[in-house]
Amino acid sequence: MPGPLKTEAVVLRSMRYGEADRILHLYTPRHGRLGAIAKGVRRSRSRFGARLEPFFRIRAVLHDGRGDLLTVTSVDTIATNGALREQAATLDAAARACDAVGRLFETTEAHPEVFTLLANELALLNADALHARPANGLAFRMKLLLAAGIVPHLAACAACGDSEHLRGFSAAAGGVVCNSCEAAAFPLDEESYQFLVGVLGRPLADPPDASDRALRQAERAIAETAEHHAHVRLRPLLRAA
Ligand SMILES: [Zn+2]
């Protein structure tokens, strides 16, 4: 790209490199996911080393460097999201959110809505640990699938178009399926179905209530959709619980 790039970004990952450098994965509104190197930032006198931790929302100036990595030349902090690091649940949820964005949106294609969604998710996790619940994590992922253009078809059977007896979910078919089309599907309870529909229609901060069983089915639907349509394996949210 010509000239320096001034952009907002969320730090997805920050890895030590060599003696004093860091390699960063940044998610930006207009340039998608970018790789960058910040030189000398692990020296104690570095001007911006402490601003390049994961989950920081920053304003950065990036220059063309060698190869694929841009070079970070200045950084201002917009939000540190420091409070979310104080609890394991919010830290873990933030790591999974950044990981899902990095996997589903790994190119420099512009998805400003994904940037906003991620920035909102981190701000919610920073504000209140309630937002680290699995229902919230699944709501975030459904909205990511929507932004990626692979949200499952929920209004009618994805195979035959029937609007009744929607009892299964098939990632291969592209969404919910009716009981005559459910050969390759897994069973989807009414409650799980309502959850998937509900999270798309509601704010990120306010997903519908659902039982553990429904959340597990919803997670399976989301995971299989990401795997089938984006060839991305998302880290499990509920499997270990
Ligand atoms: Zn059908």
Side-chain angles (χ1 to χ4, degrees):
M1 58 193 77
L5 169 65
K6 293 181 187 178
T7 181
E8 275 198 42
V10 168
V11 180
L12 300 177
R13 294 185 68 190
S14 176
M15 292 153 286
R16 289 172 176 220
Y17 184 75
E19 287 288 296
D21 304 344
R22 276 188 178 279
I23 289 186
L24 307 162
H25 289 175
L26 302 174
Y27 198 79
T28 68
R30 297 275 158 212
H31 303 275
R33 197 184 82 167
L34 296 176
I37 186 162
K39 291 182 178 159
V41 290
R42 283 161 49 220
R43 296 197 183 100
S44 54
R45 284 177 11 218
S46 163
R47 286 167 297 125
F48 51 75
R51 299 173 206 155
L52 292 170
E53 296 294 324
F55 322 131
F56 270 51
R57 182 173 175 176
I58 58 174
R59 193 173 286 113
V61 180
L62 307 168
H63 282 80
D64 262 334
R66 270 182 301 173
D68 289 342
L69 291 176
L70 298 165
T71 302
V72 182
T73 53
S74 101
V75 178
D76 289 313
T77 306
I78 297 172
T80 65
N81 293 315
L84 71 77
R85 293 162 198 282
E86 290 165 13
Q87 293 184 55
T90 46
L91 186 62
D92 191 55
R96 279 162 206 268
C98 286
D99 186 68
V101 168
R103 287 173 196 252
L104 280 166
F105 300 91
E106 61 179 356
T107 70
T108 54
E109 198 176 308
H111 284 284
E113 74 286 9
V114 172
F115 175 82
T116 305
L117 184 62
L118 178 62
N120 286 346
E121 172 75 351
L122 295 176
L124 288 170
L125 290 169
N126 194 59
D128 192 333
L130 271 178
H131 297 297
R133 292 173 304 181
N136 296 70
L138 294 172
F140 177 72
R141 289 180 177 194
M142 273 297 272
K143 289 174 190 294
L144 285 184
L145 295 186
L146 185 66
I150 56 170
V151 74
H153 200 64
L154 297 172
C157 173
C160 75
D162 198 338
S163 58
E164 310 259 302
H165 312 296
L166 302 172
R167 304 233 174 101
F169 187 93
S170 163
V176 293
V177 290
C178 74
N179 54 359
S180 3
C181 297
E182 68 186 346
F186 69 83
L188 191 77
D189 294 350
E190 174 68 15
E191 189 194 1
S192 322
Y193 174 75
Q194 292 303 340
F195 178 82
L196 289 172
V197 172
V199 292
L200 288 177
R202 293 165 69 143
L204 183 60
D206 184 29
D209 285 327
S211 67
D212 244 35
R213 176 185 162 88
L215 293 175
R216 276 171 207 283
Q217 289 184 358
E219 173 161 42
R220 182 170 172 190
I222 291 167
E224 291 187 6
T225 297
E227 214 165 313
H228 191 90
H229 297 285
H231 311 291
V232 162
R233 224 170 242 255
L234 297 170
R235 285 160 61 184
L237 280 173
L238 284 146
R239 202 169 299 165

